[in-house]
């Protein structure tokens, strides 16, 4: 069987079990290891992490629309435009994944966090992207499901309160989840720094995520 036929069969099964239309799978993948401000330390793995995540989503999970922003392409303007585009082109049957690998920083005054784009200037918060901005776009995206995966320091500030999953996990449970709107987050840490090291050219977090996928 071809990958296309397998993806088609999986979608048909999910559509039948959930009773919901399976729309497009879209992804925005951001990886920043090289920063324009030489005072901001470069990172070793984000580009490799982001590229591998994009490849596995395309190859194994039927993501046909993937926007990949790496290093100098991942400036503040292009990231915001890409988020706005997801809010514009997505429809209520789609599923969206947003992945960020790069520097993160905690605002000790407000308690919120930032993503640090390629174009950022060290110690100038006006050049960072506040988590509240990301949350606003996640809320605005009309897709049925949105998952944000952040591999950066202080990435736990993206998330609010969480709820435990029911004890019994089955295909029927997942089908019922698919039918309802959801917003999920997965982060490499909470309100703490994250190591820029890992295994086989990836961060610890990205390596385990890619391995699981």
């Amino acid at each position: 069987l071809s990958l296309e036929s397998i993806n088609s069969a999986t979608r048909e099964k999910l559509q039948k079990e959930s009773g919901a239309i399976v729309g497009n799978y879209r992804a925005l993948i951001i990886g920043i290891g090289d920063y324009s401000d030489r005072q901001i330390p470069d990172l070793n793995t984000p580009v490799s992490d982001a590229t591998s995540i994009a490849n596995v989503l395309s190859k194994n999970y039927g993501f046909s629309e993937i926007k990949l922003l790496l290093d100098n392409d991942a400036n503040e303007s292009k990231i915001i435009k890409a988020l706005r585009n997801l809010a514009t082109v997505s429809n209520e049957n789609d599923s969206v994944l947003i992945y960020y690998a790069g520097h993160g920083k905690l605002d000790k005054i407000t308690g919120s966090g930032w993503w640090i784009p390629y174009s950022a200037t060290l110690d100038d918060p006006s050049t960072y992207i506040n988590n509240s901005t990301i949350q606003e776009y996640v809320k605005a995206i009309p897709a049925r499901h949105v998952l944000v995966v952040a591999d950066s320091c202080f990435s736990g500030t993206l998330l609010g309160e969480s709820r435990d999953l029911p004890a019994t996990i089955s295909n029927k449970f997942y089908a019922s989840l698919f039918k309802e709107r959801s917003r999920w987050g997965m982060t490499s840490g909470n309100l703490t720094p994250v190591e820029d090291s890992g295994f086989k050219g990836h961060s610890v977090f990205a390596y385990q995520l890619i391995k699981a996928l």
Side-chain angles (χ1 to χ4, degrees):
L1 291 176
S2 68
L3 179 62
E4 183 178 350
S5 64
I6 292 173
N7 285 331
S8 177
T10 301
R11 288 188 178 213
E12 288 179 7
K13 181 180 179 181
L14 179 56
Q15 189 161 292
K16 181 179 179 180
E17 291 182 352
S18 66
I21 296 173
V22 178
N24 294 318
Y25 283 76
R26 308 175 190 273
L28 169 60
I29 311 294
I30 303 164
I32 313 170
D34 177 34
Y35 284 82
S36 61
D37 186 343
R38 293 297 90 191
Q39 296 186 80
I40 299 178
D42 289 341
L43 297 171
N44 295 319
T45 67
V47 170
S48 174
D49 297 340
T51 302
S52 295
I53 291 291
N55 287 338
V56 75
L57 291 179
S58 175
K59 181 179 179 181
N60 296 349
Y61 291 92
F63 277 74
S64 57
E65 299 181 37
I66 298 177
K67 180 70 172 179
L68 186 61
L69 297 178
L70 303 176
D71 284 344
N72 62 320
D73 275 335
N75 59 46
E76 181 181 11
S77 175
K78 289 187 177 182
I79 291 174
I80 296 299
K81 285 180 180 178
L83 290 169
R84 290 188 69 85
N85 183 65
L86 286 174
T88 301
V89 302
S90 300
N91 65 53
E92 61 183 10
N93 297 316
D94 291 348
S95 296
V96 171
L97 187 148
I98 300 168
Y99 178 91
Y100 173 79
H103 277 300
K105 191 171 177 61
L106 180 68
D107 184 350
K108 295 182 179 180
I109 296 176
T110 66
S112 64
W114 290 296
W115 283 359
I116 311 301
Y118 167 83
S119 52
T121 300
L122 185 68
D123 294 329
D124 183 359
S126 68
T127 64
Y128 305 162
I129 301 175
N130 196 286
N131 282 351
S132 62
T133 299
I134 300 157
Q135 292 165 351
E136 287 173 0
Y137 281 109
V138 168
K139 184 178 180 180
I141 294 171
R144 181 181 295 122
H145 305 298
V146 179
L147 169 62
V148 180
V149 180
D151 188 2
S152 66
C153 296
F154 309 107
S155 49
T157 58
L158 270 169
L159 305 179
E161 295 181 1
S162 61
R163 297 182 181 181
D164 291 335
L165 291 174
T168 303
I169 306 297
S170 64
N171 285 341
K172 184 177 181 180
F173 167 70
Y174 283 121
S176 67
L177 275 185
F178 179 82
K179 189 174 182 179
E180 304 299 327
R181 280 175 54 86
S182 69
R183 299 296 182 267
W184 297 80
M186 180 185 300
T187 69
S188 58
N190 192 12
L191 306 183
T192 55
V194 175
E195 290 287 341
D196 179 35
S197 61
F199 186 64
K200 293 187 177 181
H202 296 292
S203 73
V204 173
F205 175 82
Y207 174 78
Q208 295 297 334
L209 176 60
I210 294 165
K211 182 180 177 181
L213 291 174

